[in-house]
């Protein structure tokens, strides 16, 4: 360990006498004052921590070399999946294609439009021109059915708060429409192209809008040319402050499908409204939070859904709204051994996206559920896309893996043929790398898959620097994907390992529930089991092993280093949920109680307190080298989690390894982060690990 690390002097973090009583258990919270990110005291603390952290990182000789390589590799054209809107209509308008493209190092990708795939693309929206530093990002878009109007959402500095505007596709000019106080919402146009549905909250307190809780979402209709104050309230529930609403117009333009969500629970309600009838009421089709129902499409009064009702890995059902009693529902595609992630209808056929041991499998069925074919994919990886309209015979999808950058394919629904539409050129040779999938057993005997990727020819002598990354929550599936940042790590001789631990959705709702609430310890056990397997099988050793994760994955890392500080050489918890007793008191944190439970609940408190990273830091313990990362504008997982965890860790730490916090400014939870900031953070992360794990390259 370099001697300079022993001389690190951390900023003084005053402790206050704050003690809370949780059902008879007294819990100290001495750093509560750090929950106010805008107080002068907190701002001074942030500056002092950043001065130590950036000073430490800047002195690592390898950092500049790593940054240069990241920048060089990042500089390649990246394409999004094309989609199209518009048809041969009476007014003479035709369909248009739209897609995103990034020239390489642009902070934000640019939206282009063109009338045929052979046309010269025209810039429709360039977010890079909306701010000098790239911190204004496009956060959502919706094209009107005739392809003439674009509704788009903007987010500043990574905030979840969005403002929506409307642009004329042909002229590129914005209309006067300007909507605010929108969060967790898209936009869905009516087929008369006169307006769209969206969801909003009441105007918050400007000073505390990044911390205050978000309740009472409203579903509204905005008519073009009118001020937001005159928007029509379509649906809200003053008696249900936690309900959120997502409104989508069906492809035939007849119905508004209202999906009601409750926090992050995957169970939802489905209501609908006939928008061709001005007097139509909202009909409660599914009014119990019993399962997940994802609307696919409709055929007149028959609605198709992907659901996990009585099928934890997913199936497709049909509900005739004229005869909607559950005993009349029809099963179209039954549950299979694989997990059904999503379904669309193209060419009058179902296109079903499955996960088989955490990698993609695409199957096509007729509307009666008869199997037609499986789409042939280029290998073990992740496929996404297959969007379009009910009778489209053409669609596009992307395919990516740990060693294949996102390649866009055009797929012919009639012939079943794929052809490359855009293939990025990245400055590396994929043949020099290999990926394998292994299976190991967790503490309770559960079989868990893990992907391992590295340069070919490495020696299994226990000396390889290894980066172990996972998420483990909210039904989110971790699948193979390309990352320039990870490629640089592997170029330096590093191994990348990604286990598909419980809490995710890789094996359906049962796998998810096995890592929820009082079963959350399974998630940590699975991750610890992955680390022990890598060490036992000579891939690495404790001194060469780093663990990482973001958001719920940051919680994972925090819990694992407090439970097993002896097992890891370094830790990189990013924007983590570290205070499991107070997370529900900020912004959308209350929504996570369906996943974690709540400290306000007598039965749920003990499990939360038992693993809460902040509350399980032990004095005079040698913790792994730790670089905590967060952002001052994160209004998803407020930075107080990371602030308090860093202060407590620095006070308790008895070893020589650094325990640092890197606090990004003008950034949020991660979405929309400009390329320049991503590269800087990646360079800092790898430089930190090069030093902490003594990586030679």
């Amino acid at each position: 360990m370099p001697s300079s690390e022993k001389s690190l002097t951390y900023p003084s973090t005053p402790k206050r006498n704050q003690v809370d009583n949780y059902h008879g258990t007294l819990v100290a919270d001495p750093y509560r004052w750090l929950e106010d990110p805008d107080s002068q005291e907190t701002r001074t603390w942030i500056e002092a921590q950043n001065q130590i952290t950036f000073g430490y990182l800047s002195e690592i000789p390898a950092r500049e070399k790593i940054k240069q390589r990241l920048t060089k590799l990042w500089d390649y054209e990246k394409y999004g999946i094309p989609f199209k809107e518009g048809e041969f209509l009476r007014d003479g308008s035709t369909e248009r294609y739209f897609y995103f493209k990034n020239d390489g190092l642009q902070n934000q990708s640019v939206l282009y439009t063109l009338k045929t795939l052979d046309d010269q693309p025209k810039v429709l929206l360039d977010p890079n021109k909306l701010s000098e530093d790239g911190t204004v990002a496009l956060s959502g878009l919706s094209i009107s059915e005739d392809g003439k109007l674009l509704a788009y959402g903007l987010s500043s500095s990574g905030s979840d708060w969005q403002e929506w505007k409307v642009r004329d596709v042909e002229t590129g000019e914005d209309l006067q429409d300007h909507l605010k106080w929108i969060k967790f919402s898209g936009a869905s146009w009516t087929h008369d192209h006169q307006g769209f549905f969206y969801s909003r909250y009441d105007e918050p307190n400007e000073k505390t809008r990044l911390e205050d809780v978000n309740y009472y979402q409203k579903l509204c209709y905005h008519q073009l040319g009118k001020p937001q104050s005159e928007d029509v309230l379509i649906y809200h529930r003053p008696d249900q402050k936690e309900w959120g609403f997502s409104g989508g117009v069906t492809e035939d333009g007849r119905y508004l499908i209202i999906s009601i969500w409750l926090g992050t629970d995957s169970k939802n309600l489905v209501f609908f409204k006939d928008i061709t009838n001005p007097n139509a009421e909202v009909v409660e089709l599914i009014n119990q939070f019993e399962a997940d129902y994802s609307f696919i499409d409709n055929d007149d009064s028959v609605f198709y859904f992907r659901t996990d009702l009585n099928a934890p890995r997913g199936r497709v059902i049909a509900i005739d709204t004229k005869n909607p009693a559950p005993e009349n529902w029809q099963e179209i595609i039954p549950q299979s051994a694989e997990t059904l992630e999503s379904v669309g209808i193209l060419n009058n056929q179902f296109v079903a996206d499955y996960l088989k041991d955490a990698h993609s499998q695409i199957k096509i069925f007729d509307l009666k559920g008869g199997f037609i074919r499986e789409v042939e994919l280029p290998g073990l990886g992740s496929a996404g896309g297959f969007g379009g309209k009910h009778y489209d015979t053409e669609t596009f999808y992307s395919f990516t893996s740990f060693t294949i950058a996102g390649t866009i394919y055009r797929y012919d629904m009639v012939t079943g043929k794929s052809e490359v539409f855009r293939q990025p050129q990245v400055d590396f040779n994929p043949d020099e790398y290999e990926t394998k999938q292994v299976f190991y057993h967790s503490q309770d005997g559960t079989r868990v898959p893990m992907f391992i990727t590295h340069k070919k020819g490495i020696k299994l002598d226990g000396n390889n620097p290894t980066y172990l990354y996972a998420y483990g929550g909210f039904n989110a599936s971790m699948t193979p994907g390309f990352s320039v940042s990870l490629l640089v790590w592997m170029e330096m001789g590093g191994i990348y390992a990604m286990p598909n631990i419980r809490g995710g959705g890789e094996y359906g709702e049962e796998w998810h529930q096995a890592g929820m609430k009082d079963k959350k310890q399974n998630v940590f056990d699975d991750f610890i089991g992955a680390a022990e397997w890598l060490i036992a099988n000579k891939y690495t050793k404790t001194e060469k092993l780093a663990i990482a994760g973001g958001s719920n994955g940051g919680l994972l890392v925090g819990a694992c280093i407090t439970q097993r500080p002896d097992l890891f050489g370094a830790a990189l918890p990013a924007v983590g949920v570290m205070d499991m007793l107070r997370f529900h008191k900020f912004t959308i944190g209350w929504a996570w109680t369906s996943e974690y439970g709540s400290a306000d609940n007598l039965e749920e408190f003990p499990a939360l307190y038992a693993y809460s990273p902040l509350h399980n830091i032990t004095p005079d313990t040698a913790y792994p080298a730790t670089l905590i990362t967060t952002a001052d504008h994160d209004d998803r997982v407020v930075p107080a989690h990371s602030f308090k965890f860093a202060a407590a860790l620095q006070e308790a730490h008895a070893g020589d390894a650094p325990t640092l916090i890197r606090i990004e400014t003008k950034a949020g939870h991660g979405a929309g982060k400009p390329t320049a900031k991503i590269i800087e953070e990646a360079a800092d992360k790898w430089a930190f690990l090069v030093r902490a794990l003594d990586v030679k390259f």
Side-chain angles (χ1 to χ4, degrees):
M1 191 66 65
S3 59
S4 61
E5 294 182 9
K6 295 184 180 181
S7 60
L8 276 177
T9 304
Y10 302 109
S12 171
T13 309
K15 298 172 76 171
R16 306 276 156 76
N17 186 26
Q18 173 68 46
V19 178
D20 300 305
N21 187 332
Y22 292 90
H23 318 288
T25 300
L26 298 180
V27 180
D29 192 6
Y31 303 118
R32 176 80 55 85
W33 59 273
L34 283 168
E35 289 181 359
D36 181 357
D38 297 313
S39 73
Q40 187 53 55
E41 196 174 17
T42 302
R43 301 309 301 179
T44 301
W45 183 87
I46 290 171
E47 288 171 18
Q49 291 284 354
N50 271 346
Q51 192 171 352
I52 296 274
T53 299
F54 287 112
Y56 176 88
L57 295 169
S58 67
E59 290 176 1
I60 299 173
R63 187 193 181 280
E64 186 56 34
K65 182 180 175 184
I66 293 169
K67 182 186 171 185
Q68 287 175 8
R69 183 59 179 151
L70 281 164
T71 304
K72 187 170 189 289
L73 267 181
W74 221 288
D75 194 8
Y76 70 92
E77 288 184 336
K78 305 164 189 71
Y79 283 87
I81 301 168
F83 56 99
K84 59 186 177 182
E85 282 293 350
E87 298 174 19
F88 290 97
L89 304 173
R90 291 176 191 168
D91 63 3
S93 63
T94 59
E95 64 185 12
R96 284 179 177 272
Y97 290 90
F98 301 86
Y99 65 75
F100 285 95
K101 179 190 168 191
N102 190 306
D103 289 343
L105 294 173
Q106 288 175 291
N107 277 321
Q108 304 289 343
S109 294
V110 178
L111 178 62
Y112 292 86
T113 182
L114 61 171
K115 289 192 174 178
T116 73
L117 293 176
D118 298 325
D119 279 354
Q120 187 68 26
K122 182 178 81 171
V123 173
L124 177 54
L125 182 64
D126 184 355
N128 299 292
K129 295 184 177 177
L130 301 176
S131 62
E132 286 188 13
D133 57 3
T135 55
V136 174
L138 187 63
S139 54
L141 64 87
S142 178
I143 311 286
S144 62
E145 189 229 3
D146 61 359
K148 291 184 172 182
L149 294 168
L150 162 72
Y152 65 97
L154 298 175
S155 165
S156 297
S157 300
S159 172
D160 279 337
W161 286 113
Q162 302 175 359
E163 296 184 22
W164 280 72
K165 298 182 179 182
V166 179
R167 179 163 292 192
D168 185 301
V169 172
E170 189 61 46
T171 66
E173 297 294 320
D174 280 345
L175 308 186
Q176 65 189 42
D177 306 79
H178 187 183
L179 312 183
K180 300 177 75 174
W181 311 125
I182 299 170
K183 214 183 229 197
F184 316 125
S185 175
S188 188
W189 289 87
T190 49
H191 282 207
D192 60 5
H193 324 122
Q194 295 305 302
F196 52 84
F197 299 96
Y198 73 101
S199 302
R200 62 162 293 178
Y201 290 95
D202 289 335
E203 183 173 346
N205 181 318
E206 180 59 33
K207 287 187 177 178
T208 56
R209 64 188 177 88
L210 297 182
E211 298 92 56
D212 288 348
V213 291
N214 305 131
Y215 288 132
Y216 299 110
Q217 197 181 42
K218 297 176 171 67
L219 179 61
C220 300
Y221 175 73
H222 173 71
Q223 187 167 340
L224 288 182
K226 291 195 172 183
Q228 188 176 14
S229 59
E230 294 183 23
D231 286 355
V232 179
L233 178 62
I234 300 298
Y235 196 79
H236 77 134
R237 287 294 290 268
D239 61 325
Q240 299 288 350
K241 68 179 182 180
E242 295 181 345
W243 283 18
F245 308 100
S246 173
V249 177
T250 54
E251 190 181 314
D252 62 9
R254 180 175 176 184
Y255 298 104
L256 174 68
I257 307 295
I258 305 171
S259 177
I260 292 99
W261 48 271
L262 182 59
T264 53
D265 195 344
S266 54
K267 301 180 180 70
N268 65 308
L269 312 181
V270 180
F271 300 168
F272 71 92
K273 178 182 171 72
D274 184 345
I275 53 178
T276 64
N277 177 1
N279 301 315
E281 298 291 321
V282 171
V283 178
E284 297 188 4
L285 181 63
I286 295 162
N287 58 11
Q288 298 291 322
F289 285 103
E290 60 183 356
D292 170 70
Y293 296 89
S294 299
F295 180 78
I296 300 168
D297 202 347
N298 69 299
D299 187 357
D300 195 28
S301 64
V302 176
F303 290 7
Y304 297 108
F305 292 93
R306 181 266 176 210
T307 184
D308 57 15
L309 179 70
N310 302 321
R313 291 184 302 282
R315 60 181 177 141
V316 174
I317 63 171
I319 302 175
D320 190 336
T321 55
K322 292 178 179 174
N323 201 8
E327 58 267 24
N328 299 319
W329 296 1
Q330 276 189 296
E331 181 174 82
I332 307 297
I333 302 175
Q335 176 177 250
S336 74
E338 295 79 36
T339 302
L340 180 59
E341 291 272 280
S342 62
V343 187
I345 293 183
L346 294 163
N347 193 37
N348 211 34
Q349 297 168 332
F350 289 113
V351 180
D353 182 352
Y354 286 94
L355 274 187
K356 179 180 174 61
D357 290 330
H359 57 85
S360 289
Q361 196 177 56
I362 310 296
K363 296 179 182 179
I364 297 174
F365 301 85
D366 64 31
L367 292 191
K368 292 182 179 178
F371 176 74
I372 296 174
R373 76 172 82 93
E374 185 174 330
V375 176
E376 195 175 322
L377 298 175
L380 198 77
S382 305
F386 296 97
K389 300 290 177 63
H390 198 106
Y391 292 101
D392 281 352
T393 57
E394 169 195 65
T395 188
F396 297 86
Y397 69 93
S398 70
F399 181 84
T400 182
S401 73
F402 296 114
T403 55
I404 298 175
T407 301
I408 310 296
Y409 291 85
R410 180 183 175 278
Y411 185 72
D412 188 317
M413 288 292 300
V414 178
T415 65
K417 296 274 178 61
S418 293
E419 60 182 37
V420 173
F421 174 66
R422 294 288 185 270
Q423 186 164 26
Q425 302 299 316
V426 189
D427 181 26
F428 87 112
N429 181 3
D431 294 334
E432 294 177 0
Y433 298 83
E434 63 179 312
T435 297
K436 67 184 77 153
Q437 187 176 37
V438 301
F439 293 84
Y440 66 95
H441 290 94
S442 190
Q443 185 173 305
D444 64 357
T446 299
R447 186 171 180 260
V448 182
M450 175 163 58
F451 293 103
I452 304 175
T453 306
H454 50 75
K455 271 186 175 177
K456 288 178 179 175
I458 64 158
K459 293 178 182 175
L460 297 184
D461 58 5
N463 286 315
N464 301 294
T466 299
Y467 184 73
L468 177 63
Y469 179 91
Y471 186 76
F474 295 94
N475 203 31
S477 300
M478 304 298 290
T479 62
F482 183 76
S483 161
V484 166
S485 178
L486 289 173
L487 183 56
V488 170
W489 172 251
M490 292 188 290
E491 281 186 343
M492 296 189 294
I495 291 172
Y496 177 58
M498 187 180 80
N500 299 103
I501 59 181
R502 281 174 284 184
E506 290 88 347
Y507 292 107
E509 186 57 22
E510 289 174 339
W511 195 251
H512 172 214
Q513 291 185 13
M516 286 173 59
K517 291 194 171 181
D518 62 348
K519 298 183 179 66
K520 190 69 178 173
Q521 185 59 41
N522 287 337
V523 179
F524 313 136
D525 290 343
D526 289 359
F527 199 52
I528 288 166
E532 292 175 333
W533 187 94
L534 289 164
I535 292 170
N537 286 273
K538 302 293 186 184
Y539 280 88
T540 192
K541 58 185 176 183
T542 290
E543 296 82 359
K544 295 285 187 179
L545 177 60
I547 56 171
S551 194
N552 174 74
L555 157 63
L556 170 69
V557 173
C560 286
I561 64 169
T562 53
Q563 291 183 17
R564 289 294 307 275
D566 60 306
L567 186 58
F568 316 107
L572 298 171
V575 293
V577 187
M578 301 301 194
D579 184 345
M580 299 310 296
L581 306 187
R582 288 177 59 78
F583 68 85
H584 57 301
K585 298 183 180 293
F586 303 96
T587 63
I588 200 65
W590 61 264
W592 313 332
T593 57
S594 56
E595 181 81 11
Y596 297 139
S598 169
D600 297 341
N601 182 311
L602 174 63
E603 283 74 34
E604 293 173 341
F605 166 75
L608 288 163
Y609 191 41
Y611 74 76
S612 177
L614 177 65
H615 301 97
N616 285 279
I617 294 171
T618 308
D620 301 316
T621 299
Y623 286 99
T626 303
L627 178 63
I628 302 160
T629 53
T630 188
D632 66 349
H633 278 69
D634 190 342
D635 52 0
R636 183 83 55 84
V637 180
V638 292
H641 285 278
S642 294
F643 294 173
K644 290 161 70 174
F645 186 71
L649 196 66
Q650 287 175 351
E651 186 202 21
H653 183 43
D656 294 328
T659 53
L660 302 169
I661 180 167
R662 181 190 190 279
I663 305 160
E664 186 74 80
T665 56
K666 290 192 75 177
H669 197 59
K673 186 179 286 189
T675 298
K677 282 182 180 285
I678 294 172
I679 290 174
E680 288 288 342
E681 185 173 338
D684 285 342
K685 186 170 69 174
W686 296 144
F688 182 81
L689 293 187
V690 162
R691 190 166 187 175
L693 305 181
D694 193 24
V695 178
K696 302 286 195 288
F697 69 100

